[in-house]
Amino acid sequence: MEVKVTTPSIVRGAGVTAAMLVPGHNRFSRLVRTGAVAAGYLGSFAVEPDKKPSHYTLMTFKDPKAAEPDAPTDEITKYGNLAVGTASWIGIGAVLGHLAQLIPLPKVLKATALGGAVAVGDSYLGDKVRAGKAAANQ
């Protein structure tokens, strides 16, 4: 199995790493950690070559009235996938960062390992999603 780690995935992993390095265990530090994950995720779109973000969601919004793929859609259909993808990524990244805090290892080691795992996992998942979409469009 070969995984080509992409630059956006590295930025997303760096956001999780930065979140892990935030000191403290109070509400403010948890908010800052979640913000770091969000900044890494949203910042990753700035480095994507085609400037079209790819979201990995298990659910999508489709307009039942649209018979053709090019038909105009309502606002929920248009922005629903973006909102679900962003919220799920931030939630999963924040929960992973919070859970990794419980592992009895040095904080820098945990942060680096989790950030690297997120980058590799995100690239792998992205490859699978793109391959699935390409197969579905043929």
Side-chain angles (χ1 to χ4, degrees):
M1 175 176 76
E2 184 176 319
V3 178
K4 182 181 180 224
V5 180
T6 62
T7 303
S9 295
I10 292 171
V11 173
R12 291 173 183 145
V16 173
T17 301
M20 293 269 315
L21 296 175
V22 173
H25 298 287
N26 56 18
R27 281 187 181 171
F28 181 73
S29 62
R30 287 191 299 264
L31 181 65
V32 172
R33 279 189 201 99
T34 303
V37 172
Y41 180 72
L42 297 173
S44 70
F45 298 133
V47 297
E48 289 205 50
D50 59 357
K51 301 293 185 205
K52 292 176 74 176
S54 58
H55 299 279
Y56 320 126
T57 59
L58 298 177
M59 62 179 273
T60 58
F61 294 94
K62 293 184 180 178
D63 189 357
K65 297 176 278 184
E68 300 175 8
D70 297 333
T73 59
D74 61 353
E75 295 300 313
I76 292 176
T77 305
K78 190 173 181 181
Y79 296 108
N81 297 329
L82 177 69
V84 169
T86 302
S88 63
W89 175 264
I90 293 169
I92 290 169
V95 167
L96 284 175
H98 295 313
L99 290 176
Q101 294 289 343
L102 303 174
I103 299 172
L105 291 172
K107 186 180 249 187
V108 174
L109 181 63
K110 291 187 291 191
T112 306
L114 183 61
V118 165
V120 171
D122 183 64
S123 293
Y124 177 75
L125 184 60
D127 288 344
K128 293 295 179 184
V129 167
R130 280 188 288 280
K133 286 182 180 178
N137 289 336
Q138 289 181 355

